[in-house]
Amino acid sequence: MSQARNTTFDTVIKRLKRPLMLTWAGLIAERLVRAFWPLWCVIIAVCAALMLGLHDIAPVELVWIVAVLSGVAALGFAAIGARRFAWPSRDEAIRRMDGVLPGHPLAALADRQAIGGGDTGSEALWRAHIQRMETRAAQARAVEPDLRLARRDPFGLRYVALLGLVVALLFGSIWRAGTVTQMTPGGGAALASGPTWEGWIEPPAYTGLPSLYLNDQDGAFSAPEGSLVTLRFYGEVGALSMTETVSGRTEDIPPATDIEQSFEIVKDGTLRIDGPGGEEWKITALPDAPPEASVSEGLDVTFDGQMSQPFAASDDYGVVGGTATFELALDEVDRRHGLSAEPDARDPIVLDLPLPITGDRADFTETLIEDLSEHPWAHLPVRLTLNVRDERDQAGQSEPVVMDLPARRFFDPMAASVIEQRRDLLWAKSNARRVSQMLRAVSHNPEPGLFKSETAYLKLRVILRRLETFVDHASLTDENRDELAQALWDLAVLLEDGDIGDALERMRAAQERLSEAMRNGASEDEIARLMQELRDATQDYLRQKSQQAQREGDQTDEPDQGQSGDMQMLTDQDLQDMMDRIQELMEQGRFAEAQQALEEFQQMMENLRMAEGQQGQGGDNPGQQAMEGLAETLRDQQGLSDEAFRDLQEQFNPGAQAGESQGNEGRNGGQGQGQQHSQQGQGQQPGQQQGQGQGRQEGQQPGQGQGDQSAKGQQGGQAGALSDRQQALRRELERQRQGLPNVGGQAGEDARDALDRAGRAMEGAEEALRGDDLAEAIDRQAEAMDALRDGMRSLGEALAENSQSQPGQGQAQSQTPGQFGEQDPLGRSQRGLAGDQGEFTAREDVYRRAGELLDEIRRRSGETARPEVELDYLRRLLDRF
C-alpha cells in the first residue's frame, strides 16, 4: 500500500467506519481467545468445584494442594497468553476486511498512478479503475472472527470445564464458594467472627431427593431413613460440640467436639449444636416402606398354552426386581388315579417379573407372559405368590392365589390320554408301571381313526417299549423319565396337530376338536381358534369341489350338468349358513344349541363323504395303475433288501438264520419255515415275488427268480445274482418313471425328483452288490425305499390335485401311500399280506405286525454276540422307526 493515501481512499474508509470497527473488535476477540483459553479453563473449573462444595467434602490438605496448583497454572497460562497476545492495528483490520472482497478494492484505492501521468488516455483509464474499485469497496461488510480452537484444544478441555460450570449452576450454590476462606480453624472470616459451623443432609441416592443445607432448616424437619448427616466446625477447636439421638450409635462414637462429624439418620430424635451460634432441630425419620404386589384379575391363556397374568406393584421410591413363584397346592389336588401316589419332590416354579423399561417404577402394572404347558403341574392347582424388592433389599409379598396352572389344552381324545399319562409319570416315578399299562390298554386294538398316522402309532409303541424296559429292570432314572416325558409330549402334539392332507378329513377333525372343546368348557380364545380352523377347512373343501365341478363341466355335455351344478351351489350355501349359525350361537353363549347344530353339520359332512365314496367307485385309470406299479416295485425292493440282510447275517453268523426261524416258528404256533420268512420280511417269499416281478418286467420265467432264491439259500449269498436282480429292478423303475401320467404342479415335480433319487440309490446298491459290500448295499436299498415312498406320496397328492372326471378316480386317490392302513411301517402293501389272504383285517394286522417288527428288531439289537455290522444296521432301523 502506498504511504500517501488519496482522498478517495479516506472517503471510502470513513463510510466503512462501522464494519471496520467490528472487524477490529473481532480481531481482538480472536487473539484473546487463542492466547488465554487455557487460563479461562482453569478459572471456570475452579469456580465449578467451589460452587459444588467439593472443598467441603475433601481433606483440607488436598484442597490446598489443588488451590496452589490451580494458582500456579493460572499464572503460567496468563504469562503465556500475554506473550502471545498482540494488539491489532487499524491497518490489520483494513487488510482483514479487504481480504474477503473480490479484487482487493481497498488496497487498490490506496494506490496512486505511478506512470502515465499527464497522458489523457492513461488518466481516464485510471479514473475508471478507481471508480470500479470504489463501487466494490462500498459492498464491504464486517468480517467475523475465527474463534475455533479445535486444533489448539484437541481433547476438548474447554468443554469439560464449561460442563462443570453448568452443573454447578444447576445443582450447586454460589454461596458455597465463600466457605473456602474458612478451611482452617481461626483463619479467614472465622478469625474475625468467631466459631461457626455448617452442615448438610444427603438422602439415599435411590430416593432421588435433593440434599438439605442444615443451616437453612428450621427447628423441625423430616428426612428419609438412611440419610447421611455431615457437620463441619470452623474456628477454635472445642468451641462447638454436637449432640444427637437420631443415629442410634452406641459404640465407636467420636468426640462431640471433632471439627467434622458424619452419621446416618435411622430413627426420630434431636440434633443439637452447642456453642456460639448453636441450634437445635427435631428430626423425623421417614421410614422406607417395603414394596407391595398383588395379582390382578384378567388371566388370559392362548390356545397354545401361553398365559398372560396381570399384576400390580408399588413402592415409595421404586421396585427394582421381583419374582413369581408357583407352588403345588397339594391340599387342593384331586388325589385320584395317577395322582394318588406320593409326588416326587420338585422345586417351585420361579419366574422373573417384567418391569417397566421406562417410566416410574413406584406404582405400575405389568403382565407376566410365560408358557408352562410342558411343566408336570400343568392344569394342577398351584399357589401363585409375587415377591418384589426395593433398592434397600426390602421384600414385599402378595397374597397367595390358588389357581390351575395355565397350560395348553388337548381336545383329541388320544392326545389328551397321552398327556394325562405323561402327567402321572412326572408326578411320581412309582406310577411308571401304571402308565405303561394304561398306554398299552388305550393302544390295544385301536378303533379306526384313533391314530391319524402310522408314525404316531409307532412312536407310542417305541415309548411304551422303552418304559416297560425301564420298569422291568427297575432302572427308571430322573433323566430317563424326563426323556420319556418329552417324547410323550411330542406324541401328543403330533396327535393333536397332525397333518391331514385331505380337505374332508381336515373338516371332520376340526369338527371333532371343536365339539370336544365345547363339551370341556374351553376358553373363548380356544373355541374361536377351532371355529376358524373349521371355517378354513370348509373353505378348502368347497374350493376343491368347485374346481372339480368346473373340470367336469368342461369335459361333459350331458344336459343335467347344470342341474348338478345348481345342487352343488346349494350345498355350498347350506354349509356356509350352517357355519354362520354355529358361530352365532356360540357368541350368544347358547352352547347346547351350538353343539346340536355342530352335530347336524357333522351329519351333513358324513352324507357328503358317503356320496363321494359312491362316486369314487370305478375301474382303473393311468394314475391308479402307476401307483400300483410303484407299490409293486417297492415290495420287490423290500424283498431284495431282506434277502441281502439275511445273506449278511449268514456271512457273519453262520447258522443264525435257521435258529431264528425255528424260534419264530415256535412263537407263532408251529407255522412252517417258509411262512416264518414271509412274516419277518415281506409277507411272501422275496425270491418268489422278485422272480415273478422280473418275469413280468424282463421277460423271464417266474421259476428263474425262485431258482435264484434257492441258490441264495444254499450257497449263503451270491452277490452277482442279487446285483442282476437289482439292475432289473432299477430298469423297471426307470420305465415306470417315464410312463407316469401327465401331472403338473409342485407335487408332480416332487414325485419325479423322488423317483429319480430312488433310481440313483438303486444304482448305488447295484454297484455295492457287485463289489460284495452287503452293508453298503442295504443302506442304499433303504434310501431307495424311502425315495419310493416319497415319490408315491407326492404322486398321490398330484393325482388328487389333477383328478380327472373318469370313473375310479376316488379309488386311485384313496390308495396314496402314507395313508393309514395301506402300508406297514416298512412301506409294504397291506393287501399283499392280509387283504388277499383274508386272515386278518387290514386295520388289525397293521398294529399287530408293527409291534412284532419292532419287538423283533429290538430283541436282535440287544444280542451283543451278533456281528457289529449287523448291530449297526439294526440300530439304524430303530432310529428310523
Side-chain angles (χ1 to χ4, degrees):
M1 182 181 292
S2 175
Q3 295 181 355
R5 303 192 176 190
N6 53 38
T7 57
T8 303
F9 176 79
D10 295 337
T11 303
V12 170
I13 291 300
K14 290 180 180 179
R15 289 201 302 265
L16 299 178
K17 183 178 181 179
R18 185 174 181 277
L20 183 61
M21 290 296 295
L22 293 176
T23 303
W24 179 69
L27 280 173
I28 296 175
E30 180 180 315
R31 295 184 181 184
L32 284 174
V33 169
R34 293 181 179 179
F36 295 103
W37 73 267
L39 175 61
W40 296 346
C41 291
V42 172
I43 295 173
I44 291 175
V46 171
C47 292
L50 293 176
M51 293 172 63
L52 288 173
L54 299 181
H55 59 285
D56 292 328
I57 61 176
V60 176
E61 295 79 4
L62 179 61
V63 173
W64 282 109
I65 291 174
V66 173
V68 171
L69 292 178
S70 300
V72 172
L75 291 175
F77 289 139
I80 295 174
R83 188 174 66 253
R84 291 179 178 177
F85 180 76
W87 194 266
S89 64
R90 183 170 176 269
D91 290 341
E92 287 177 336
I94 293 174
R95 285 195 297 270
R96 169 65 67 89
M97 192 166 57
D98 187 43
V100 299
L101 294 174
H104 302 290
L106 295 179
L109 291 174
D111 293 338
R112 298 179 63 88
Q113 185 178 7
I115 59 175
D119 183 67
T120 305
S122 177
E123 290 179 353
L125 180 60
W126 178 256
R127 287 193 299 271
H129 171 67
I130 292 299
Q131 291 176 358
R132 183 180 303 169
M133 293 299 102
E134 185 177 359
T135 302
R136 292 183 181 180
Q139 302 175 358
R141 298 292 182 269
V143 180
E144 296 180 359
D146 184 9
L147 303 178
R148 291 173 296 182
L149 299 172
R151 283 194 287 180
R152 290 175 170 81
D153 182 18
F155 300 104
L157 298 179
R158 63 194 186 281
Y159 294 123
V160 175
L162 182 61
L163 176 62
L165 181 61
V166 172
V167 172
L169 291 174
L170 292 175
F171 302 102
S173 173
I174 194 172
W175 302 111
R176 287 189 174 183
T179 62
V180 71
T181 60
Q182 304 174 358
M183 293 303 298
T184 59
L191 294 176
S193 60
T196 186
W197 56 271
E198 194 172 23
W200 300 268
I201 299 177
E202 300 177 14
Y206 66 84
T207 64
L209 298 177
S211 299
L212 301 177
Y213 190 50
L214 190 58
N215 302 58
D216 297 336
Q217 303 305 312
D218 296 332
F221 63 91
S222 59
E225 287 184 358
S227 298
L228 179 64
V229 179
T230 302
L231 291 174
R232 284 184 180 273
F233 297 154
Y234 307 107
E236 183 182 355
V237 177
L240 298 174
S241 63
M242 182 271 300
T243 303
E244 56 85 14
T245 60
V246 296
S247 66
R249 295 178 295 176
T250 59
E251 298 179 357
D252 299 331
I253 302 176
T257 58
D258 278 1
I259 62 174
E260 185 172 351
Q261 303 278 347
S262 180
F263 53 89
E264 289 187 356
I265 299 175
V266 297
K267 62 179 182 177
D268 298 344
T270 60
L271 171 61
R272 186 175 71 253
I273 297 178
D274 300 318
E279 290 189 31
E280 182 177 358
W281 300 269
K282 185 177 181 179
I283 302 177
T284 302
L286 300 177
D288 186 355
E292 298 179 354
S294 61
V295 180
S296 306
E297 297 182 356
L299 173 64
D300 184 33
V301 184
T302 61
F303 69 91
D304 57 353
Q306 180 175 273
M307 73 167 182
S308 298
Q309 175 62 65
F311 68 93
S314 61
D315 184 63
D316 310 38
Y317 306 108
V319 176
V320 298
T323 57
T325 304
F326 295 86
E327 295 179 332
L328 179 65
L330 192 58
D331 54 335
E332 301 286 342
V333 177
D334 185 6
R335 303 292 297 275
R336 295 187 301 167
H337 309 302
L339 302 179
S340 60
E342 189 65 24
D344 295 342
R346 194 173 295 275
D347 295 334
I349 306 172
V350 180
L351 305 175
D352 291 332
L353 290 177
L355 300 179
I357 299 177
T358 59
D360 188 15
R361 293 185 179 181
D363 190 1
F364 64 92
T365 58
E366 273 290 344
T367 302
L368 174 64
I369 300 176
E370 192 66 33
D371 187 356
L372 301 174
S373 299
E374 297 187 40
H375 196 272
W377 297 342
H379 297 299
L380 291 179
V382 294
R383 287 187 176 87
L384 170 60
T385 305
L386 303 182
N387 298 275
V388 291
R389 67 181 187 279
D390 60 10
E391 190 69 32
R392 291 190 65 183
D393 207 24
Q394 297 182 113
Q397 190 176 82
S398 67
E399 290 293 332
V401 176
V402 178
M403 60 188 299
D404 289 345
L405 187 64
R408 174 175 179 172
R409 303 188 65 177
F410 291 82
F411 300 103
D412 181 88
M414 192 62 193
S417 177
V418 170
I419 286 297
E420 181 180 356
Q421 299 311 309
R422 175 183 179 272
R423 179 204 64 186
D424 293 348
L425 181 61
L426 291 172
W427 177 265
K429 288 190 291 185
S430 59
N431 283 333
R433 184 173 298 279
R434 180 182 182 277
V435 170
S436 66
Q437 293 172 351
M438 292 296 297
L439 291 177
R440 182 169 291 280
V442 298
S443 62
H444 175 68
N445 195 16
E447 297 179 356
L450 185 60
F451 289 93
K452 296 182 175 67
S453 66
E454 298 171 354
T455 303
Y457 176 75
L458 288 174
K459 282 189 174 182
L460 178 59
R461 293 287 300 180
V462 171
I463 295 171
L464 180 58
R465 178 62 63 187
R466 294 194 62 193
L467 179 58
E468 290 177 342
T469 301
F470 290 138
V471 172
D472 293 340
H473 294 83
S475 59
L476 182 61
T477 63
D478 292 344
E479 292 76 11
N480 295 333
R481 178 199 60 191
D482 295 340
E483 182 181 352
L484 291 173
Q486 184 61 46
L488 288 171
W489 173 267
D490 296 338
L491 173 61
V493 173
L494 177 62
L495 292 169
E496 180 78 8
D497 300 332
D499 183 18
I500 305 175
D502 182 72
L504 201 56
E505 286 295 333
R506 289 199 300 114
M507 285 177 59
R508 187 180 67 144
Q511 296 163 21
E512 293 176 354
R513 294 173 65 176
L514 178 59
S515 178
E516 188 72 19
M518 293 171 62
R519 286 195 298 267
N520 294 340
S523 65
E524 295 182 1
D525 189 13
E526 292 170 336
I527 292 180
R529 178 185 68 87
L530 295 174
M531 188 66 193
Q532 185 61 41
E533 181 180 335
L534 179 57
R535 280 188 175 276
D536 294 341
T538 303
Q539 291 175 1
D540 291 342
Y541 170 74
L542 296 180
R543 182 169 56 253
Q544 291 184 10
K545 291 294 294 180
S546 176
Q547 294 174 356
Q548 181 180 357
Q550 292 177 3
R551 289 193 297 267
E552 292 176 354
D554 294 339
Q555 297 179 8
T556 181
D557 297 328
E558 295 182 4
D560 60 344
Q561 188 66 24
Q563 182 180 0
S564 176
D566 295 338
M567 291 298 294
Q568 180 63 37
M569 292 300 295
L570 178 61
T571 302
D572 296 349
Q573 187 61 43
D574 290 343
L575 293 176
Q576 293 291 352
D577 293 342
M578 184 69 72
M579 295 286 293
D580 294 339
R581 177 61 177 167
I582 294 173
Q583 182 150 7
E584 180 181 356
L585 292 173
M586 288 192 299
E587 291 175 353
Q588 297 175 359
R590 301 156 63 182
F591 291 103
E593 298 180 31
Q595 180 71 26
Q596 183 179 358
L598 184 60
E599 293 176 358
E600 295 175 2
F601 185 82
Q602 292 174 341
Q603 184 62 39
M604 185 183 298
M605 291 299 99
E606 291 299 329
N607 294 338
L608 288 176
R609 186 190 302 275
M610 294 177 60
E612 290 216 351
Q614 293 174 359
Q615 293 176 2
Q617 305 279 337
D620 292 347
N621 55 56
Q624 180 178 353
Q625 294 175 1
M627 293 295 294
E628 292 179 350
L630 291 175
E632 178 92 16
T633 301
L634 180 59
R635 288 195 298 270
D636 293 343
Q637 181 62 78
Q638 180 62 56
L640 192 58
S641 178
D642 290 345
E643 193 168 341
F645 176 69
R646 284 194 294 271
D647 287 349
L648 179 64
Q649 181 181 4
E650 183 67 23
Q651 179 180 351
F652 288 94
N653 192 11
Q657 181 178 354
E660 291 173 0
S661 299
Q662 294 174 2
N664 292 333
E665 180 180 356
R667 285 192 301 269
N668 289 276
Q671 293 180 353
Q673 185 174 356
Q675 293 176 341
Q676 196 58 231
H677 285 295
S678 170
Q679 292 181 2
Q680 292 180 10
Q682 177 59 30
Q684 52 187 322
Q685 289 291 347
Q688 182 180 356
Q689 289 181 356
Q690 186 62 36
Q692 293 174 355
Q694 291 177 9
R696 290 189 303 270
Q697 300 164 8
E698 301 295 332
Q700 300 174 355
Q701 297 297 327
Q704 181 178 351
Q706 297 174 357
D708 290 341
Q709 169 68 14
S710 175
K712 183 69 180 176
Q714 294 175 2
Q715 299 177 9
Q718 297 179 359
L722 291 178
S723 62
D724 292 342
R725 291 163 57 187
Q726 185 67 71
Q727 180 183 16
L729 194 59
R730 177 176 57 81
R731 291 176 178 175
E732 173 63 17
L733 176 63
E734 182 63 25
R735 184 191 65 79
Q736 292 174 345
R737 183 174 179 275
Q738 294 176 357
L740 287 179
N742 187 18
V743 291
Q746 184 62 39
E749 188 65 27
D750 292 343
R752 294 184 179 88
D753 292 343
L755 296 182
D756 184 60
R757 286 190 286 107
R760 292 195 299 269
M762 288 183 178
E763 184 177 2
E766 177 186 344
E767 294 177 358
L769 289 172
R770 295 191 187 280
D772 202 18
D773 189 353
L774 294 177
E776 177 66 20
I778 292 172
D779 287 341
R780 300 289 78 77
Q781 288 169 343
E783 293 177 5
M785 288 185 288
D786 286 341
L788 278 172
R789 294 188 190 98
D790 293 341
M792 295 171 70
R793 185 179 300 107
S794 299
L795 179 60
E797 295 174 358
L799 292 174
E801 295 174 358
N802 301 274
S803 58
Q804 305 296 325
S805 60
Q806 300 173 355
Q809 188 66 25
Q811 182 180 358
Q813 182 178 349
S814 68
Q815 294 180 356
T816 303
Q819 291 182 349
F820 201 82
E822 288 299 321
Q823 293 181 345
D824 66 9
L826 298 181
R828 294 169 291 196
S829 172
Q830 298 284 5
R831 296 180 301 163
L833 295 173
D836 296 341
Q837 299 174 7
E839 295 180 1
F840 307 100
T841 64
R843 183 70 64 181
E844 294 172 345
D845 190 53
V846 68
Y847 292 120
R848 178 187 61 78
R849 284 186 295 102
E852 290 178 355
L853 285 172
L854 283 174
D855 293 343
E856 181 64 21
I857 293 174
R858 189 174 299 279
R859 184 186 65 80
R860 295 188 185 188
S861 65
E863 296 176 356
T864 57
R866 292 180 177 273
E868 187 63 28
V869 64
E870 180 183 349
L871 293 176
D872 289 341
Y873 176 72
L874 293 173
R875 294 189 191 102
R876 288 195 296 272
L877 287 178
L878 290 176
D879 293 339
R880 185 183 300 275
F881 301 110

